[in-house]
Amino acid sequence: MIDSSLTTGHVVGINGNMMAVEVDTGSVVQNEVAFVKLPDSKLKAEVIKVIGKKCFLQVFEDTTGISVGMPVEFTGNMLAVELGPGLLGQIYDGLQNPLTLLENKQQFFLQRGQYKEPIDRSKKWDWKPLVAVGDRVRAGQWIGEVPEKFITHRVLTPLGMHGTAVVKKILPEGAYPITEKVAELDVNGKTVTLTMSQEWPVKKAIKAYKERIYPEELLITRQRIIDTLFPISRGGTSCIPGPFGAGKTVLQHLISKFSSVDLVIVVACGERAGEVVELIHEFPEMKDPKTGGSLMDRTIIICNTSSMPVAAREASVYTGITLGEYYRQMGLDVLVLADSTSRWAQAMREMSGRLEEIPGEEAFPAYLESRIAGLYERAGLVQLHNDKHGAVTLIGTVSPAGGNFEEPVTQATLKVVGAFLGLSRKRSDERKFPAIDPLDSYSLYIDQMADSLNKNLDREWTKMVHEAEELLRRGAEIGKMMTVVGEEGISIDDLVAYLKSEMLDFTYLQQNAFDDIDCAATIERQVADFKLLYKALKTPFSFETKPEARKFFVALQDNFYQKNYAAESSPEYAKFVSKIEEIIVSGGGRLV
Amino acid sequence: MFKEYTKITNIIGDIIELSAEGVTYRELAAITNHNGDTSLAQVIRIDGSKVSLQVFAGAKGMSNRASVRFLGHPMRVPYSEDLLGRIFSGSGKPIDGKPEIANAAETDIGGPSVNPVKRVVPRNFIETRIPMIDIFNPLVESQKLPIFSTPGEPFNELLARIALQAKADIVILGGIGLKFDEYIGFRRKFEEGGIMDRTVMFVHTAADPVVERLLVPDMALAVAEQFGIAGKRVLVLLTDMTAFADALKEISVAMEQVPSNLGYPGSLYSDLASRYEKAVDFEGAGSITVLAVTTMPGGDVTHPVPDNTGYITEGQYYLVNGMINPFGSLSRLKQLVIGKVTRDDHGAVMNAMIRLYAKALESKKKISMGFEKTETDEKYLRYADLFEERFMDLRVDIPLNDALDLGWKTMAECFDRFEIGVKKEVVDARWPKGA
């Protein structure tokens, strides 16, 4: 470790949130944190470029009032987050300041220069040791555990430790605060004292696991179009691009509410504050479908909304993914939602412009792609050294300028994600929710997970899904044809195919986000509903006239639609199922 | 106490550069030109001893011997009850012939953001007596909404009407690049409507220096914030935010910043967001609601200004051909008030009427393509005419409940009760008697 505790400097320039500093004494570390001292406060900044004795820092706060000559203190540490029990249920800003603790005289505003401890120091945790004196341990190993909300929080050895160490001391069971010295390790002859918390630099991935494994298991979001058509795997990555007003945020909220994971980290990055406010007020009232506890208990919100400082916005996404990686080390299944990665990319662009770097496309920096790839690659399913599995799944929204997916952020993201859920303006204008375009979107996981899907859901599952996709494509083509030649110009068979694809779209791909039942479908229900629908789609109905065909499908479609509002395994549900089967038979289909 | 500098080294556009010491970022300076003209300027970059300032009055005619005196604080705006009824220029000078505000507390403009955890979920409906807003996309207290329009549309008339009818405690108008006639139009309407005594106007006209445009939203919102904290329900009107964005573009180009899209700076999103996000409901105090105008160059909604705005605001009203278009318009907060603070049939009327109007337009299109007019088409055409006359015409001025009743009446005049696609209980309760 470089001792840079003595490094000091002074401001020589300021342009927006970029500050130029000349180093007086000591060494500088790229990406280390420094503080600039104003008469009334100290502002946090990060070194982002070093040129000889001069270095450039991005300041995480409003820079009004900074002047040439003001002293700067370098900390020698990279921007880091504190990891330990007590993170769940918290609302942080991009730098892990707990927003509920930030105060000022008017109570309403975020006064700059306030940095609070991210984790409560006074709370006591029921500690249980998991190792004994003399045990050999390695980085990220579980040395003890405490109950945190609904999960068992494992206390880890230092995540960045090299090689192995020997446990010299370990505290017995008892209630301790996170600052308590719970263990002592002998690391190559040096004694290291451990507490329940540790720090980790956000821009470095946590890799204290045995290996990454191929993700083959389904992450259930309870959104039919996602789980059935464009599934995301546990430990996979996905992006949701869409123009404004296409329902990105509503979809993200539903995913965060209903996904079958142990915990969810929501990163509100550069978006409207109002949306976070809804989460903050709704989540404590809502039930976690898995534990029955409050949804807030399994959630961490990182909130750096659009009017908060831009540099901290850039950090917020890293803060979120780092917390996710930390909980993955405990063998948990974590979902990280980043809304929106475009704002994060724009934060990089603003800084790149101030550094006068040579711009790439649309003035984004040339390293945009590698940064985006680096972020998504931090997701993944891993096998820990104790052979338990943990996962971080990352879903990012993208807000493409003008709703045009050809722009650099969308394109760079597409290269690295496994599932692309593109929202279309046309579908949202038609009030179709989710407005995921079934013809544009894709998921690489459907084939990657084929074995597990066919084993767990239905023997024929992936085949049925591919056929459904094919039908949608055919329906769209016929629909296009009809706009030119009218209904008169197509054959009855084509009309039937068209009506089938419309029915699939209307009764299965769309969901009512505001209905208590229809807003979320369990995977069991999806399997049953999809198989019934598939039966209707595969039946070769024959009709004499087109009006007859239309009339038939109106009745069939309505029953499928009404069934969506009936509770799973309720008498109404059963009634609709038998009614649907009746209609299928009446139309010439046979029940097997 | 403040040192005076008289040696300007560079003049680029409206930016001047000089060597100075002890200057702080965003500090204000007073400039006196050789002919006695004065202006304020703000520090926008410091590089060693070289300081760049943007001159509010513009650098036209600026001498490199002009005197620059740094004032030791950033841009401020006075705040007191005395502001009510007053009109200021883009640099904060009174332009109504009355004296400067004396003994007022001063507040920094562009202050910090509201802590998200201190915000509350908006819940109050603002009645505007414009049915296309009240019924279909109601305005909610603390909402930020732009009117997307094109030059030549009556967006300023619409803003003025909302200001007159919305029953806000305080109205603050921020005029950015207004034509002189438009400015006088606002002033007259506010005076005739009797709301001038609870109005503050910050007006930058098209003839004023470009840099002053940048200050208008910040001053308007800083004053709004102070009134909001004091418990007032404030309505802020900003017109036209595209002119504001264009000023940002001019300055950033003069500063040799790398442009991102059509010459706008990469920070356009953040710059707009930091203004719009001032809309807030202060728990236990007042609120700020922001209505803005965004003219779309060439009517193109994918132009960077409306596009970035759409991602920031909570919906938008499309003003096209003198009417608020019900299809593109959206109030994202409407479900927080519809049927909750408004009448229980509000949601049903809204959905049914829009659906019927959409079908009516389909009928119209069909007929214009030469298809035969059916009896059903006749019904829809009649409905479309009534809908446009009774609801879409911007002159219509009725309270929400009357508008809802009129909605039922209109539907009953054109359709059978089973044709409108509304739940039976609601129709039973509201369908006009004798229809």
Side-chain angles (χ1 to χ4, degrees):
Chain A
M1 278 271 142
I2 307 155
D3 182 14
S4 58
S5 57
L6 291 173
T7 304
T8 54
H10 62 274
V11 178
V12 294
I14 182 88
N15 175 16
N17 60 345
M18 192 203 60
M19 179 170 74
V21 173
E22 203 169 275
V23 179
D24 300 331
T25 54
S27 55
V28 182
V29 181
Q30 170 77 328
N31 293 112
E32 79 170 289
V33 170
F35 289 90
V36 52
K37 272 171 88 174
L38 275 74
D40 57 346
S41 58
K42 268 166 88 173
L43 306 182
K44 203 173 191 171
E46 180 190 13
V47 178
I48 50 173
K49 187 158 132 185
V50 184
I51 307 263
K53 278 194 76 84
K54 199 169 168 186
C55 52
F56 294 89
L57 290 82
Q58 60 174 343
V59 184
F60 293 117
E61 309 265 5
D62 175 27
T63 50
T64 302
I66 295 182
S67 156
V68 167
M70 282 183 174
V72 176
E73 292 169 356
F74 292 81
T75 64
N77 298 316
M78 282 167 70
L79 183 66
V81 284
E82 186 175 37
L83 304 169
L87 295 165
L88 289 183
Q90 291 287 345
I91 302 159
Y92 293 117
D93 74 0
L95 303 175
Q96 212 197 5
N97 283 300
L99 284 174
T100 44
L101 298 182
L102 298 182
E103 285 163 7
N104 65 67
K105 56 180 191 294
Q106 283 170 326
Q107 288 300 315
F108 297 118
F109 300 101
L110 290 167
Q111 208 99 316
R112 68 178 180 176
Q114 286 195 79
Y115 308 106
K116 300 273 179 183
E117 280 156 353
I119 305 178
D120 187 356
R121 298 286 187 263
S122 59
K123 187 177 161 63
K124 288 192 171 172
W125 300 88
D126 291 323
W127 157 266
K128 210 172 98 190
L130 294 175
V131 291
V133 172
D135 283 359
R136 215 160 239 293
V137 292
R138 58 203 310 167
Q141 190 162 333
W142 305 353
I143 54 161
E145 63 185 33
V146 300
E148 180 187 11
K149 310 276 185 186
F150 286 90
I151 64 156
T152 305
H153 189 113
R154 324 285 177 169
V155 176
L156 311 175
T157 54
L159 289 157
M161 193 170 73
H162 296 288
T164 57
V166 178
V167 179
K168 278 173 67 185
K169 260 190 209 166
I170 183 95
L171 269 194
E173 270 188 54
Y176 313 109
I178 60 157
T179 48
E180 185 77 39
K181 293 175 181 114
V182 290
E184 244 178 59
L185 300 184
D186 178 338
V187 187
N188 301 326
K190 245 176 80 186
T191 302
V192 175
T193 313
L194 306 188
T195 64
M196 281 188 231
S197 75
Q198 58 179 301
E199 293 209 333
W200 184 261
V202 294
K203 289 182 181 169
K204 263 172 87 173
I206 298 176
K207 288 185 168 167
Y209 46 77
K210 194 190 271 174
E211 58 180 346
R212 271 188 71 170
I213 38 186
Y214 193 59
E216 286 178 294
E217 240 181 280
L218 177 65
L219 179 124
I220 299 157
T221 64
R222 296 202 181 179
Q223 299 303 304
R224 288 187 290 255
I225 186 168
I226 301 178
D227 295 349
T228 305
L229 244 55
F230 310 114
I232 302 167
S233 68
R234 269 184 64 195
T237 53
S238 167
C239 71
I240 309 179
F244 66 81
K248 277 187 301 295
T249 303
V250 180
L251 185 58
Q252 279 256 20
H253 284 192
L254 286 173
I255 293 173
S256 65
K257 280 177 197 166
F258 294 111
S259 287
S260 59
V261 290
D262 295 315
L263 53 112
V264 179
I265 297 168
V266 179
V267 186
C269 171
E271 291 290 304
R272 303 176 186 94
E275 288 163 2
V276 188
V277 175
E278 279 180 40
L279 288 188
I280 295 171
H281 288 266
E282 260 183 32
F283 272 27
E285 312 285 314
M286 294 188 57
K287 259 195 191 169
D288 173 4
K290 203 163 161 181
T291 61
S294 136
L295 208 48
M296 200 61 206
D297 286 347
R298 70 158 200 183
T299 309
I300 303 171
I301 296 176
I302 316 281
C303 165
N304 219 93
T305 55
S306 58
S307 59
M308 290 161 76
V310 171
R313 186 197 298 169
E314 196 245 349
S316 67
V317 170
Y318 292 111
T319 298
I321 195 97
T322 307
L323 297 186
E325 287 174 330
Y326 173 62
Y327 280 97
R328 175 170 71 183
Q329 289 295 134
M330 298 168 204
L332 295 171
D333 197 357
V334 187
L335 174 63
V336 179
L337 294 166
D339 184 14
S340 136
T341 57
S342 293
R343 308 299 162 219
W344 169 69
Q346 284 177 347
M348 283 193 269
R349 174 167 74 181
E350 281 185 36
M351 193 37 75
S352 164
R354 297 220 165 87
L355 287 171
E356 294 172 4
E357 294 172 340
I358 295 168
E361 210 181 327
E362 286 184 26
F364 282 105
Y367 44 79
L368 175 74
E369 273 196 34
S370 61
R371 291 281 166 88
I372 289 178
L375 174 72
Y376 280 96
E377 271 303 300
R378 289 176 71 171
L381 179 64
V382 304
Q383 185 164 14
L384 304 176
H385 288 297
N386 61 10
D387 289 333
K388 297 249 188 325
H389 288 185
V392 170
T393 310
L394 175 60
I395 304 179
T397 62
V398 183
S399 319
N404 173 11
F405 292 172
E406 303 301 311
E407 58 89 42
V409 181
T410 314
Q411 288 304 314
T413 308
L414 276 184
K415 285 183 191 163
V416 292
V417 296
F420 163 67
L421 309 170
L423 304 183
S424 93
R425 159 80 71 217
K426 184 168 168 285
R427 282 179 75 85
S428 76
D429 280 351
E430 290 164 357
R431 302 280 187 269
K432 291 177 178 169
F433 183 87
I436 297 172
D437 191 319
L439 300 177
D440 278 354
S441 305
Y442 62 81
S443 166
L444 304 175
Y445 298 116
I446 184 122
D447 293 324
Q448 188 168 326
M449 300 189 293
D451 290 344
S452 121
L453 293 174
N454 292 336
K455 191 172 133 220
N456 297 323
L457 305 185
D458 187 275
R459 252 179 333 119
E460 305 263 275
W461 186 258
T462 50
K463 179 177 155 273
M464 293 194 293
V465 172
H466 286 310
E467 283 180 41
E469 274 183 281
E470 193 44 49
L471 176 67
L472 288 168
R473 211 156 282 136
R474 180 153 174 236
E477 276 167 23
I478 300 168
K480 253 186 226 151
M481 211 151 69
M482 272 164 57
T483 57
V484 183
V485 297
E487 201 179 299
E488 306 87 75
I490 59 164
S491 70
I492 284 204
D493 283 353
D494 276 354
L495 180 68
V496 169
Y498 173 74
L499 292 172
K500 279 179 176 172
S501 97
E502 285 285 284
M503 183 166 74
L504 165 61
D505 185 355
F506 186 66
T507 68
Y508 197 80
L509 304 188
Q510 297 173 36
Q511 256 166 287
N512 185 343
F514 297 109
D515 183 79
D516 289 340
I517 290 170
D518 196 34
C519 67
T522 62
I523 193 68
E524 293 77 20
R525 178 168 183 158
Q526 289 187 41
V527 171
D529 285 355
F530 186 65
K531 280 163 75 176
L532 184 64
L533 180 62
Y534 179 77
K535 194 189 293 176
L537 300 179
K538 286 299 276 183
T539 309
F541 301 110
S542 59
F543 303 100
E544 295 289 316
T545 64
K546 285 175 186 165
E548 191 192 325
R550 275 200 180 271
K551 209 176 140 204
F552 175 82
F553 276 101
V554 165
L556 186 57
Q557 176 166 318
D558 189 51
N559 277 283
F560 271 113
Y561 178 67
Q562 300 294 348
K563 175 170 63 73
N564 289 341
Y565 292 93
E568 208 172 347
S569 63
S570 66
E572 292 83 54
Y573 181 84
K575 213 177 73 192
F576 283 118
V577 170
S578 59
K579 179 79 186 156
I580 287 166
E581 289 180 332
E582 217 173 90
I583 299 175
I584 295 178
V585 174
S586 78
R590 259 181 306 278
L591 284 176
V592 212
Chain B
M1 127 183 217
F2 296 109
K3 202 176 156 191
E4 214 168 291
Y5 295 86
T6 52
K7 200 175 169 202
I8 296 171
T9 47
N10 302 323
I11 305 175
I12 308 156
D14 291 329
I15 295 162
I16 59 167
E17 293 179 339
L18 65 150
S19 259
E21 271 162 25
V23 176
T24 64
Y25 191 62
R26 288 200 205 287
E27 185 173 343
L28 214 55
I31 299 180
T32 311
N33 203 358
H34 66 298
N35 61 3
D37 286 352
T38 59
S39 171
L40 290 175
Q42 187 178 29
V43 176
I44 53 172
R45 178 151 74 191
I46 306 174
D47 184 7
S49 64
K50 190 172 95 182
V51 177
S52 310
L53 298 116
Q54 60 182 18
V55 183
F56 295 163
K60 274 194 201 76
M62 178 74 66
S63 155
N64 64 356
R65 291 276 174 263
S67 101
V68 179
R69 192 165 49 91
F70 291 94
L71 302 178
H73 61 79
M75 181 70 184
R76 288 177 181 160
V77 60
Y79 161 71
S80 83
E81 294 273 330
D82 296 342
L83 255 61
L84 295 174
R86 298 296 306 272
I87 306 173
F88 303 90
S89 75
S91 58
K93 291 238 157 52
I95 51 169
D96 49 5
K98 293 181 205 158
E100 299 241 6
I101 303 290
N103 304 324
E106 298 223 307
T107 179
D108 289 357
I109 68 167
S113 165
V114 170
N115 187 341
V117 302
K118 300 285 183 195
R119 286 175 180 259
V120 290
V121 178
R123 58 196 172 270
N124 296 326
F125 167 60
I126 299 180
E127 188 168 42
T128 64
R129 298 172 59 96
I130 298 169
M132 290 314 287
I133 293 178
D134 291 351
I135 297 186
F136 300 102
N137 285 298
L139 185 62
V140 181
E141 194 174 329
S142 86
Q143 192 164 17
K144 40 190 179 288
L145 259 179
I147 298 168
F148 281 179
S149 196
T150 47
E153 295 284 351
F155 44 79
N156 283 331
E157 285 75 10
L158 180 62
L159 270 194
R161 256 194 73 194
I162 295 172
L164 292 176
Q165 292 173 187
K167 296 196 188 110
D169 296 335
I170 308 274
V171 174
I172 297 179
L173 174 78
I176 309 147
L178 280 187
K179 286 201 283 279
F180 180 78
D181 304 2
E182 289 170 326
Y183 151 52
I184 299 299
F186 273 113
R187 191 174 167 171
R188 277 213 187 137
K189 279 190 190 117
F190 286 3
E191 278 164 358
E192 284 163 13
I195 63 161
M196 201 58 206
D197 59 344
R198 50 188 173 92
T199 298
V200 187
M201 289 167 82
F202 292 92
V203 176
H204 166 275
T205 66
D208 297 335
V210 167
V211 182
E212 289 188 359
R213 281 191 202 174
L214 292 175
L215 300 171
V216 170
D218 286 339
M219 284 195 296
L221 290 162
V223 169
E225 220 161 46
Q226 294 305 315
F227 278 115
I229 292 166
K232 303 286 190 210
R233 292 158 59 244
V234 187
L235 175 65
V236 178
L237 310 173
L238 300 172
T239 174
D240 163 2
M241 286 300 277
T242 306
F244 169 76
D246 287 341
L248 284 174
K249 176 163 79 173
E250 258 190 70
I251 297 298
S252 76
V253 168
M255 290 289 289
E256 295 177 355
Q257 280 181 24
V258 182
S260 67
N261 220 333
L262 294 188
Y264 291 94
S267 58
L268 180 63
Y269 175 84
S270 306
D271 293 335
L272 290 171
S274 63
R275 274 80 191 190
Y276 281 113
E277 284 280 323
K278 293 276 178 197
V280 63
D281 196 340
F282 292 111
E283 190 159 22
S287 68
I288 300 173
T289 309
V290 177
L291 262 182
V293 167
T294 299
T295 50
M296 301 180 286
D300 177 14
V301 71
T302 66
H303 180 278
V305 178
D307 185 53
N308 278 292
T309 304
Y311 280 115
I312 293 162
T313 53
E314 289 152 336
Q316 65 278 331
Y317 296 133
Y318 274 96
L319 184 66
V320 195
N321 299 329
M323 295 186 198
I324 296 175
N325 184 308
F327 299 111
S329 300
L330 170 71
S331 162
R332 285 173 188 267
L333 304 185
K334 65 179 172 188
Q335 65 269 20
L336 297 174
V337 295
I338 289 178
K340 290 182 180 146
V341 289
T342 62
R343 226 164 72 179
D344 58 357
D345 60 328
H346 186 166
V349 173
M350 169 182 80
N351 288 325
M353 292 196 75
I354 278 297
R355 204 166 40 234
L356 294 170
Y357 185 60
K359 280 200 179 165
L361 293 185
E362 274 176 32
S363 284
K364 268 194 179 176
K365 200 171 150 196
K366 205 180 92 182
I367 291 159
S368 73
M369 282 168 74
F371 288 91
E372 208 176 316
K373 199 192 283 180
T374 65
E375 208 172 297
T376 324
D377 289 333
E378 298 273 10
K379 281 187 182 180
Y380 279 114
L381 291 183
R382 183 168 140 73
Y383 173 75
D385 288 343
L386 287 176
F387 185 79
E388 282 162 16
E389 177 196 319
R390 290 176 178 175
F391 297 90
M392 285 180 78
D393 191 324
L394 269 191
R395 286 166 299 186
V396 178
D397 178 6
I398 44 173
L400 173 66
N401 286 350
D402 292 358
L404 291 174
D405 291 339
L406 186 63
W408 286 110
K409 181 165 173 273
T410 308
M411 287 192 282
E413 279 170 23
C414 301
F415 301 101
D416 196 79
R417 57 192 297 164
F418 304 108
E419 288 175 307
I420 61 165
V422 173
K423 257 201 229 159
K424 192 171 173 299
E425 305 94 80
V426 184
V427 181
D428 286 347
R430 299 284 181 182
W431 196 255
K433 304 270 180 304

